[in-house]
Amino acid sequence: MKVRIKSNAFLIAVSAVILGLIAGGLLMLAIGSNPFTGFYYLFRGGLMSMERIGNTIATAITLMLVGLSVAFAFKTGLFNIGASGQMLVGGLCATLVAHYVFLPRPLYLVVIITAAFLGGAAWGIIPGFLKAKFNVHEVVATIMMNWIAYWSVYYFVPIYLKAPSLETESRSIAISQTLRSPWLSKIFGGGYINVGIFVAIAAVFILKFILDKTTLGFELKAVGSNRFCAEYAGIKVNRNVIISMMIAGGLAGLAGMTYYTGYSRNIQIGVLPQMGFDGIAVALLGASNPIGVLFSAFFFGILQSGKGFMNAMTEIPPEIADTIIATIIYFTATSVLFKRFWDAVGRRSKAKALQNQEQADGEGVSHE
Amino acid sequence: QADKGKKLLKVGMVTDAGTIDDKSFNQGTWEGILKAQAEGLVEAKYLKPSGTTEADYLKEIGNLYDAGYKFIITPGFKFETTIFEAQDKYPDAKFVILDGEPHSADYSEFRIEPNVVGVYWAEHESGFLAGIAAALQMKKGSFGFIGGMEVPAVQKFNWGWQQGLKYANANLGTNIKMDSQNFLYQGTFDNIAAGQQLAATMYDRGVNVIFAAAGGVGVGAINEAKNRVTAGKDVWIVGVDVDQYPEGVLPSGKSIILTSAMKYLDRASYDMIVHELAGTFPGGEILHLDATNDGIGIPLENPNLSADVEAKVKEMYSKLKSGEIVVADSPDGGLFK
Amino acid sequence: MNDKRKKYIFTSPLWIGIYILLALVLLALLSMNHLARLILPYAIAYTIPLLVTALGGLYSERSGVTNLGLEGLMLVGYFASALTIRFTEQSSYALALPLGLLVGVIAGAIFSMLHAFASINLKADQVISGTAINMLASAITVYLARTIAGSGNVRIMLGIIRKDIPVLSKIPGIGTLFFTQTYWSTWVALIVWGASWFLLYKTSFGLRLRACGEHPSAVASAGVNVYKMRYFGVGMSGALAGLGGGIILITYSGEFNGTVAGLGFLSIAALIFGQWKPLGILGATFFFGTATTIANVSQVIPQLGIIPPVIFKVFPYVVTLLALVAFSKRSAAPKAIGEPF
Amino acid sequence: MSHVIEMLNIRKEFPGIVANDDITLQVEKGEIHAILGENGAGKSTLMSILFGLYHPDRGIIKVRGKEVRIASPNDASDLGIGMVHQHFQLVQNFSVTENIILGKEGGFVLNRKEAGKKIKALSEQYGLSINPSALIEDITVGMQQRVEILKMLYRDAEILIFDEPTSVLTPQEIDELMQIMRNMIKEGKSIILITHKLNEIKSVADRCTIIRKGKLVAVVDVASTSQAKMAAMMVGRPVNFTVAKEEMHTGAPILEVKNLNVQNVKKLPAVKDFSLQVHSGEIVGIAGVDGNGQSELVEAITGLRAIVSGSVWINGKEITNSSIRERNEAGLGHIPEDRQKRGLVMNSSLSTNMVIKEYYREPFSHRGVLNQSVIDEHAQDICDAFDVRSGEGIFSHAGKLSGGNQQKAIVGREMALGPDIIIAVQPTRGLDVGAIEYIHKRLVEHRDKGKAVLLVSFELDEVFNLSDRIAVMNSGELIDIVQTSATNEEEVGLMMAGVKIKEAAL
Ligand SMILES: Nc1ncnc2c1ncn2[C@@H]1O[C@H](COP(=O)(O)OP(=O)(O)OP(=O)(O)O)[C@@H](O)[C@H]1O
Ligand SMILES: Nc1ncnc2c1ncn2[C@@H]1O[C@H](COP(=O)(O)OP(=O)(O)OP(=O)(O)O)[C@@H](O)[C@H]1O
Ligand SMILES: [Mg+2]
Ligand SMILES: [Mg+2]
């Protein structure tokens, strides 16, 4: 029966994607462009060469980790729109490690991953704590934390990580200290693909395992679905809220690491990373399921990294990709419509099957 | 017939932060390219990157390259490391970087290949001339400066501006007050509200003219000046990069832009295209555009400056050209910051 | 109602606002540099978009619909106003600004119907729907700006000219603080605020609207159409957020540039900080406006220059967190908020 | 004889169920007409149709002889029909006046003073004595009901519908309500009364319409029909009102509560100096009207609410400051008051729900990793043993089960914990007779195994049926504990109203 529920979520996601693409196509038509050409170049832009696939993956890595962060919080009934701030802090920690810690590669990776995770976790744990102890709405708290991170990084970087002449970003990390790795770059002909991909995929499966198979996941989901029941059952609701936000923050911190020390080579100031918000879309399309997030991150990654090429080849503005993503999310939110639709389809086909069966039985058995 | 069949040079541009019509850096660059397109010389396209990291920039360069745009102009020092990578990655493409030269991310290696031209401007000279012009026109009053981020180009504008004001006070009989609290960098290029509030505070404190070299922050300052002038106050803005006169136009038809400290971005991008078409692309060179080669200056027409003032500025300009006057590109000599 | 709750009043956001005000007045009197005079008019200008937007949120949430889409709705109003003014300012400058605001209001209201439909008819998750509204708004406005206006920016020629209010501005102290250098849109916003307070608390319509946010089935059994009331609430949130966006344009920004820089989210915070009450919202938004302005201009004010700027910048956000902690024990959130009916 | 209301051949279908199937109801002017039926028989549905909340699929409604279409509560109100709902339709943080005028404010600008005056006058006319400016959240449940009544009177209702008005009242308040109803009849109003309590029907009603499973069974004259007969018609078989139960020897105290003080949400004392012992082999019932501190008492014992002072002991071990989990492990089972809110995770499977208190223990998990097959087996065992029926078995989401099956699942889960004491709060609320009998039997079995049960119920019948001893609670105080065999409903009713019989007798 579980299977049916899952395929339901899958059907909804696919329906939303198709409707989003149709909406995008209509917008292209509206400005007098050919949607088929548009989509052709959009997808070619994301996939036409190994290098581009590498870049798409690099984008997807960050999206995936942010998506996991948001999805994980969702599972505990929390809405983490603070992924941007957590990315910044996690990214800052990773950048510091990249500048000041020199170790053999495997050990170095462990250190930088830990640092980024802890940085993001610290930023996530504060709203979690405020929610648990004082019932401060996590939406407001995480928004505030975003801006606190924004300004802290804004003043921290120029003082401690100043580049010789640039004020807008930290000084660059030595290439050997980034997450990029020569053999990966070789396979993908350059590109920004980096070992973050392994972190992201590992995170997908670890989260899947935690949520489905462990007592921790059991508790988190119980708290998320019905915190009153969880409390009644003896589960420590507050502790789980804090843990959930901590892990969500940590995941966003890892996303920050892949973005600032993998995709990019320095941390930008004066910018709240947009990916922190895109991750919400990834989580929603993925139905907050880690595997779903994996796929939706790749899908959005293609759109994000293909839009520039589409813009270069046609007159279609790259914002079309964002419009498609936004439309998909609106349709995910209103999935009740599809649910009704698919249920109706299901009923009809079941009825038909029944009818057929009855006919096959020969004597139209009455059901009265 | 043959002309029609001939493939035009495809010229691409990647914008820096901000939009293509930022009335400043991006727009100036793009206008030069558009001019070449209007003359039927090239086919043009600009792409706006989704972020401001080297990776974002390189991706757009890749998009342009794959779409056949192999002559690519990038405005801004933030492209320095990007072009450093791109010059090797796309050896059959040509690059022009405005306001910078290619170097490695850690500044250990400065190398420019034959497919790249770097262009610098003497912003301090431009700021100096604007300072002279503004001081002469106003004769007395208190002047200020709002910069965006504290980056070299903006700093040089500031230092030149101060030197111009000082020079006018010392040699041209003006009485311009300069108070250190009125010379500052807002810290971003996009906080319009802060630009407006800073300008308002300065004007409240009696400042008459503000030189705004600050992108969107400058937009806020311009709005504030428009507001005050419409309300009957006597305040001014000095524009930056391009002739910002049209930005300051009020419904009455007048503009609150006294003059602008220009660097001829459009000329640079246009010239580079023409060179390329003529086969004289100065690849591997770093060009320094200043008064001697007419790379900077104030606008040709300045409706808000009197003829006397314009004449006097011309005179100063020739002195710059001849080297009689030298403007420092550093805060030495008691300048603010 | 709630006249009984006066005992908490001295810690309410309204009072925090008043404390700040008093402190500023005091400073103005004491300081030769007229610190308050340098800050207050601009602080008010910055407060107003937040205030009307948070007020819009109040309508929506009081009717029982969470609205996380205020940021997007503001953006829609911002864009629609800019486009309208851009196309009309040449022919009739005098009418362009009010017309632009009006179109912004209408556009916001229309766009909010997406959220209303999802959350009222389809009983969708309102948080997700609101998020979708934000994403849609920012994608579509920039897309349209690009295709209609040529770039992501839509600039207008001139915003509202600030004026001193005759007579009132001559009152010493208060007059110079509140009645000099004001935008007419500020008075419009304050009238909207007053009218909203009246509508919500003094009329039968307001009684019904608030009841929808507390106990919708009670309203239904009293013969009132809850769907219509909620549509009205969400529509008002769109209209007022649209107005907020329009006011940003014609007061300090002068151009549509694709973002309202988190002001919509800040409005939501102000709504909660202000405990879902008009007076509270006024206090909370005024606090944000003042704190942000102080942060912005601290650079030019030597007295403030001694404090590291990062302190000013994070101040409003940290205080909000602390305030939410302080108020958390007696949240006045509408009881049926976010629950489909 | 004139019928004020005629509902002829009404049919109303909900997805999967016919709530009203060809029902006819005729109410005469000036009568109190009772409607009797099991849970889910379709009484509320019928009244909702009359009040314009639902629309019938078929059938005709006539008011005062004229056929009408009632599309909304406003139409009903215009026709002079008013309704007091089973669940009060009151906005908690609005004043009495605001609640009453809601929807009928008369004018765009509110005139609270004027309305307040009118309400005061009405309230005096019917002897309701209510303060129009008080907030709903500050007044008692009985008062709240009067607000509901005033709502109808304010709308000049001639035909008044009461849907189970007495389930939340003390016996004394019930008497007062009955008196108020009689007053109303004198003023020329007609009343439709829905109640499960036969004695109330006997005491005020003139005629009674009985329905079963959505169908009309009979309309009887109350005076000439016995309670047993009415009950039999309602259920479709003779009803046994008592549970068979043997005498038990009580043993050592299992649960001890000593001088407990607890505050409610508003930080007001809700439980005052409460002491109680429950021994092995006994069921102690707590009688009292809803809102007299029972919920707070239970929450304090089960660890859901902080204790101000006093102590709680299980099997001689103090658990006053223990976590909820420690209490569970000490042998406490809890059938919660609100099964939807506390009892189950509605969008999780039954199988998850069945181990929600035990998932962390062997054999359900090992070092933090769940053993799903053992969990599923466990759930299956409970479902089999407690006859929990659902569409997809243990994989059904709990929310998809009917109320009775949800409750059976909870009872099953708590029993499976093997607790020494079960605290059962309203264990049969909203259930039909079959399910009630089943759950009662299980609770008695538990007691018969030498374990203890603390029963909290607002239904005196249930308390009397199950309990060995009855503890009566009023305003957070323990009024008295009495042997069930040594008391009667009148005496307990008086104590529920706060009268201390022992002291009164002195
Ligand atoms: N809105 C609804 N949608 C679907 N089914 C409903 C709805 N309302 C009631 N029902 C179902 O209709 C049947 C009749 O319900 P109704 O509330 O009329 O019973 P009742 O006689 O009032 O019961 P009770 O004594 O418990 O109040 C029940 O099976 C109930 O579950
Ligand atoms: N408000 C409602 N909306 C939709 N469905 C409802 C509603 N109330 C009840 N139902 C459904 O109607 C059916 C009957 O509900 P009800 O609570 O009357 O159960 P029941 O038949 O009395 O069973 P049980 O004896 O186990 O309590 C159930 O399938 C329930 O899910
Ligand atoms: Mg039932
Ligand atoms: Mg009922």
Side-chain angles (χ1 to χ4, degrees), chain A residues 60-175:
Chain A
I61 294 169
T62 310
L63 284 176
M64 205 183 301
L65 284 164
V66 180
L68 288 176
S69 163
V70 177
F72 193 72
F74 266 139
K75 284 280 182 199
T76 319
L78 300 165
F79 187 36
N80 177 21
I81 61 178
S84 283
Q86 294 147 11
M87 271 180 79
L88 271 179
V89 176
L92 182 65
C93 293
T95 307
L96 284 171
V97 170
H99 276 297
Y100 297 111
V101 178
F102 300 93
L103 287 168
R105 187 73 172 170
L107 205 57
Y108 171 73
L109 288 177
V110 170
V111 172
I112 193 168
I113 288 170
T114 311
F117 187 89
L118 291 180
W123 224 245
I125 212 167
I126 296 172
F129 176 80
L130 294 179
K131 169 90 184 184
K133 282 281 179 275
F134 302 104
N135 200 26
V136 172
H137 202 300
E138 77 279 5
V139 166
V140 184
T142 49
I143 291 171
M144 297 298 121
M145 294 303 290
N146 276 346
W147 289 107
I148 296 172
Y150 174 97
W151 287 113
S152 306
V153 170
Y154 187 94
Y155 286 100
F156 182 91
V157 167
I159 297 174
Y160 299 101
L161 289 170
K162 192 169 159 27
S165 66
L166 294 183
E167 286 285 327
T168 54
E169 59 207 35
S170 72
R171 62 177 186 267
S172 292
I173 300 161
I175 201 85

Side-chain angles (χ1 to χ4, degrees), chain A residues 51-52 154 166 268 311 314, chain B residues 45 52 63 66 77 89 187:
Chain A
E51 183 188 358
R52 283 182 181 266
Y154 187 94
L166 294 183
Q268 316 269 308
N311 189 207
T314 66
Chain B
K45 177 91 175 191
T52 54
N63 284 329
D66 287 345
F77 61 92
K89 194 168 173 194

Side-chain angles (χ1 to χ4, degrees), chain D residues 14-15 17 19-20 37-46 54 86 163-164 196 430:
Chain D
F14 288 118
I17 188 163
N20 287 169
E38 286 176 277
N39 293 122
K43 308 176 294 286
S44 298
T45 306
L46 189 66
Y54 293 149
Q86 199 169 350
D163 194 350
E164 296 192 34
H196 291 290

Side-chain angles (χ1 to χ4, degrees), chain A residues 213-215 219 226 231-232, chain D residues 334 341-342 344 359 368 370:
Chain A
K213 300 270 190 262
T214 67
T215 54
E219 291 182 9
N226 183 348
E231 182 189 13
Y232 150 86
Chain D
H334 178 195
K341 183 179 167 192
R342 290 252 187 233
L344 295 166
Y359 64 92
L370 298 171

Side-chain angles (χ1 to χ4, degrees), chain A residues 48 51-52 55 59 154 164-169 172 192 259 263-265 268 305 308-309 311-315, chain B residues 45-47 52-53 55-56 58-60 62-63 66-67 69 77-78 89 105 107 149-152 187-188:
Chain A
M48 92 186 145
E51 183 188 358
R52 283 182 181 266
N55 289 346
T59 308
Y154 187 94
S165 66
L166 294 183
E167 286 285 327
T168 54
E169 59 207 35
S172 292
Y192 299 100
Y259 186 67
Y263 180 75
S264 171
R265 283 174 60 189
Q268 316 269 308
S305 64
F309 185 64
N311 189 207
M313 293 303 295
T314 66
E315 290 309 310
Chain B
K45 177 91 175 191
Y46 76 87
L47 293 184
T52 54
T53 65
D56 296 315
L58 261 177
K59 255 185 177 173
E60 298 308 337
N63 284 329
D66 287 345
Y69 295 87
F77 61 92
K78 289 195 75 175
K89 194 168 173 194
Y107 293 81
M149 286 182 140
E150 217 170 335
V151 296
T188 72

Side-chain angles (χ1 to χ4, degrees), chain A residues 1-2 4-5 209 212-216 218-219 222 225-236, chain D residues 304 324-325 328 334 336 340-345 347 352 356-357 359-360 365 368-370 392 413-414:
Chain A
M1 265 19 268
K2 269 181 179 168
R4 205 201 66 198
I5 292 160
F209 179 78
D212 287 355
K213 300 270 190 262
T214 67
T215 54
L216 175 65
F218 187 100
E219 291 182 9
S225 308
N226 183 348
R227 63 183 290 171
F228 300 105
C229 179
E231 182 189 13
Y232 150 86
I235 295 171
K236 294 215 165 70
Chain D
L304 290 164
I324 295 172
R325 178 158 293 168
N328 293 343
H334 178 195
Q340 313 261 344
K341 183 179 167 192
R342 290 252 187 233
L344 295 166
V345 181
N347 58 2
T352 295
I356 193 133
K357 288 186 171 177
Y359 64 92
Y360 61 94
S365 64
V369 178
L370 298 171
E392 296 162 22
R413 175 183 71 204
E414 296 307 303

